[in-house]
Amino acid sequence: VVYGTGHDPEATSATGRTIITPTSSTIVFDPGASGSHLEGIYIGKPVTFRANNKIDNVTFKRVHINGQISIAGTNPESRCDNILIIESIFGGLNGQNASNIKVFNSFSNGRLQHLNENSWIANCFIYDYHYPVYYAVQSRFENNIIVVYTSNSGVSESNGNTFSNNIFNRNPTTQENNTWSGNFTNINPVELFIDYQNPFSYEADYH
């Protein structure tokens, strides 16, 4: 368990923000890291779960990760379970070797890809140049703002998912292999918010 003072440099001006920056190219979660809890820290590199190793019940809360969270692998028997990301900022997520991922009230500067069964994404900003949602299967997307930089629809190679009450700047809802309910499409986020910047900026409050 790691608790820090916070990651916002302005909100933590009195104490300084807690920073973890490894000398290697990424922070690696190895076998034995199940049950880890990281809160209130800035991580200066991407985060990787050791491929094809079962690492369960990991929580990222109020962290800023400078890069992708990667849970890669191809062995269903070692699939990680119950990965929780709350009120955090990160550079995308690869959930190839995980199930039951939950991402709430967070900001992703990169695509969410290879999400497997029972993943739940709610109340998030999700941005990517091509496909913010890519290879998601039987997962839930609720109350998110999903923005793609190009003319692509924003959702690709995804099946059996439920999209409810999301805002898209394109229109992916013509895809019949997913369920769509109450979504808003072709909305320009610049016109939706008074104070908006993309990618994420501490100076904007997104109201």
Side-chain angles (χ1 to χ4, degrees):
V1 178
V2 179
Y3 288 99
T5 59
H7 61 77
D8 186 333
E10 294 185 2
T12 58
S13 58
T15 59
R17 63 178 179 173
T18 301
I19 300 175
I20 297 176
T21 302
T23 56
S24 60
S25 60
T26 182
I27 286 182
V28 179
F29 280 69
D30 279 316
S34 290
S36 294
H37 182 111
L38 286 78
E39 182 171 345
I41 60 177
Y42 175 86
I43 300 174
K45 297 287 181 67
V47 170
T48 300
F49 286 56
R50 186 73 69 185
N52 294 314
N53 283 276
K54 187 169 177 56
I55 303 168
D56 300 330
N57 304 313
V58 175
T59 297
F60 300 94
K61 183 175 182 180
R62 296 180 180 173
V63 302
H64 186 165
I65 298 171
N66 185 27
Q68 184 188 62
I69 301 171
S70 179
I71 313 170
T74 56
N75 183 2
E77 295 183 1
S78 66
R79 184 170 285 179
C80 303
D81 184 68
N82 195 32
I83 308 301
L84 183 59
I85 304 168
I86 310 172
E87 298 178 0
S88 294
I89 305 160
F90 56 98
L93 170 66
N94 177 1
Q96 182 182 32
N97 196 48
S99 59
N100 198 28
I101 295 174
K102 296 182 178 68
V103 186
F104 301 144
N105 304 95
S106 293
F107 198 115
S108 178
N109 279 317
R111 69 176 53 173
L112 306 185
Q113 62 183 352
H114 298 289
L115 299 181
N116 297 303
E117 295 83 356
N118 300 319
S119 292
W120 185 10
I121 315 300
N123 305 307
C124 295
F125 287 83
I126 308 166
Y127 299 90
D128 189 64
Y129 279 100
H130 298 290
Y131 295 108
V133 179
Y134 190 66
Y135 276 101
V137 178
Q138 296 179 8
S139 296
R140 298 161 57 190
F141 295 83
E142 300 175 344
N143 308 315
N144 303 293
I145 297 174
I146 300 175
V147 176
V148 57
Y149 296 106
T150 64
S151 59
N152 295 323
S153 68
V155 178
S156 179
E157 304 295 336
S158 298
N159 301 284
N161 303 287
T162 299
F163 291 85
S164 302
N165 306 316
N166 301 285
I167 295 175
F168 297 90
N169 73 324
R170 300 287 186 259
N171 184 9
T173 61
T174 57
Q175 301 177 26
E176 296 180 356
N177 48 348
N178 295 293
T179 300
W180 309 90
S181 174
N183 299 285
F184 295 87
T185 61
N186 298 314
I187 303 296
N188 186 344
V190 175
E191 299 174 356
L192 184 64
F193 294 95
I194 296 174
D195 192 356
Y196 167 88
Q197 292 187 40
N198 182 38
F200 175 83
S201 170
Y202 285 106
E203 285 71 35
D205 61 11
Y206 301 92
H207 70 284

